[in-house]
Amino acid sequence: APDAAITNFGPTLEAIRSKLPEKLQNPQIGIICGSGLSGLVDTLREVEIIQYEDIPGFGKSTVLGHKSALAFGLLGSGDGLPVVAMLGRFHPYEGHGLSTVVFPVRVMARLGVKDVIITNAAGSLNPDIPVGTIVVINDHIALPNLTGMNPLLGPQTSPDHPRFLPLSDAYSVPLRRLIFLAANKLQLPQSALAEGTYAWVSGPTYETPAEGRFLRRVGADVVGMSTIPEVLAAREERLNVAVMSLVTNFVVIPEKARSIRAEVDAEIAGREIEKPPVQVVSHEEVLEIGKQKAEVMKQLVQQVADLKLAQ
Ligand code: 6GU
């Protein structure tokens, strides 16, 4: 059964507004910062930080390398655009219910946010998308959603929510255009960005080789353990959504499974046989690439804000 949705926003909105000056009270863009990408806060001006523990209804994120606060500030040139950024997010694998995972997005909507930009770290399943690429997500495959783990399960919490939310238009074309225009303005090489489909898995385990092969064959380009619950809630709240996945590693997909029988047979016959090395993904490598590419991700988001201001 789904966990009960949080429907009382009053205390949360009051707690937040009471800590903000007038000009930060109506953020226009909401940003969710993934693994190692919280450095975005450095590009904000007149920043106000509110720790999650001081916000009623918010959980506490527990992943190493993730912060736990909302940052409000002005982003972009000139007067700047008021924005709110989540430094650290909640994942189902930490034990948070899906309603807790998506609560901050619903709060953002009620603060006046219109556009949400979500970043995450992901593994690449596509040989044409190398480590370090930023993938602008154009679609998703969410096996948990298809099998009963969906943040929108349960009674409707607002008459403004459609009962059956379409997702064919989940990823905003205007926002995706702005990201590519921003990359051009920043003179990023063509190879810096790619477009692709995100597979959401619950984690916390990384994929087995067979699971990686499966996700690739059904059409996913990258895989990760976050973002999709927030995308669904944002769409339900009628927000425009863009997602950028930073590829931090390749998913281990050997062409052929290692045959221990063949190795033993070769050993008995006194023949040499090649033993493929065992590869494993590490959270440290994920954080390291995040650190290296955080600057580019930061500039992209800032440039998107600039382009929005110019519109
Ligand atoms: Cl390889 N898999 C998943 N599920 N999430 C990731 C990842 C891989 N790399 C970064 N995040």
Side-chain angles (χ1 to χ4, degrees):
D3 54 322
I6 306 162
T7 52
N8 185 10
F9 291 89
T12 307
L13 297 175
E14 277 159 34
I16 291 172
R17 290 198 183 113
S18 72
K19 295 181 175 75
L20 295 178
E22 182 74 34
K23 67 165 116 174
L24 296 181
Q25 297 219 351
N26 292 294
Q28 294 302 295
I29 302 181
I31 303 156
I32 303 179
C33 304
S35 289
L37 301 169
S38 292
L40 186 97
V41 67
D42 301 339
T43 59
L44 302 184
R45 298 188 303 282
E46 305 188 30
V47 183
E48 296 285 343
I49 305 270
I50 309 177
Q51 299 299 326
Y52 291 160
E53 57 192 327
D54 298 328
I55 309 176
F58 271 53
K60 200 165 163 36
S61 71
T62 62
V63 189
L64 199 70
H66 293 218
K67 293 184 180 146
S68 241
L70 279 188
F72 290 81
L74 302 172
L75 180 64
S77 353
D79 287 344
L81 206 57
V83 303
V84 52
M86 285 184 77
L87 313 177
R89 57 150 63 89
F90 309 112
H91 307 81
Y93 64 72
E94 296 172 84
H96 294 297
L98 285 169
S99 64
T100 302
V101 173
V102 303
F103 183 67
V105 171
R106 300 200 188 283
V107 171
M108 284 180 178
R110 282 158 184 78
L111 288 169
V113 162
K114 301 286 180 292
D115 303 302
V116 188
I117 302 174
I118 306 179
T119 67
N120 61 46
S124 175
L125 298 156
N126 182 340
D128 296 331
I129 302 182
V131 170
T133 310
I134 294 166
V135 183
V136 180
I137 300 304
N138 56 16
D139 203 348
H140 74 231
I141 296 169
L143 293 174
N145 289 348
L146 297 177
T147 55
M149 185 178 164
N150 187 311
L152 308 190
L153 279 174
Q156 286 185 273
T157 55
S158 161
D160 296 334
H161 295 166
R163 177 68 285 191
F164 304 105
L165 180 71
L167 290 176
S168 48
D169 60 350
Y171 299 92
S172 161
V173 168
L175 284 179
R176 278 147 65 191
R177 283 179 49 84
L178 287 186
I179 293 170
F180 285 102
L181 288 168
N184 179 259
K185 268 236 149 124
L186 294 168
Q187 298 185 302
L188 297 185
Q190 197 72 19
S191 63
L193 295 190
E195 296 177 280
T197 295
Y198 182 95
W200 177 45
V201 297
S202 75
T205 44
Y206 288 116
E207 297 65 42
T208 64
E211 288 163 347
R213 215 157 32 231
F214 167 77
L215 292 172
R216 178 71 196 134
R217 284 187 190 169
V218 295
D221 297 293
V222 292
V223 55
M225 306 175 193
S226 69
T227 301
I228 303 306
E230 293 98 316
V231 169
L232 267 54
R235 293 303 295 154
E236 188 175 55
E237 301 291 349
R238 301 176 191 274
L239 308 183
N240 306 310
V241 174
V243 174
M244 290 191 273
S245 292
L246 171 61
V247 173
T248 53
N249 56 275
F250 258 116
V251 177
V252 178
I253 314 180
E255 290 278 298
K256 225 168 103 216
R258 177 176 176 184
S259 170
I260 302 306
R261 166 186 278 175
E263 289 177 16
V264 169
D265 286 352
E267 204 176 294
I268 291 167
R271 275 187 286 112
E272 287 293 320
I273 185 168
E274 209 181 315
K275 293 176 189 165
V278 178
Q279 292 166 280
V280 292
V281 187
S282 78
H283 185 53
E284 288 65 37
E285 104 185 276
V286 169
L287 290 179
E288 178 54 33
I289 299 288
K291 227 188 283 171
Q292 290 171 22
K293 286 282 167 170
E295 186 58 33
V296 181
M297 205 71 126
K298 232 157 72 175
Q299 287 174 0
L300 271 174
V301 175
Q302 194 172 18
Q303 192 60 235
V304 167
D306 267 347
L307 292 172
K308 276 219 99 88
L309 280 163
Q311 273 176 354

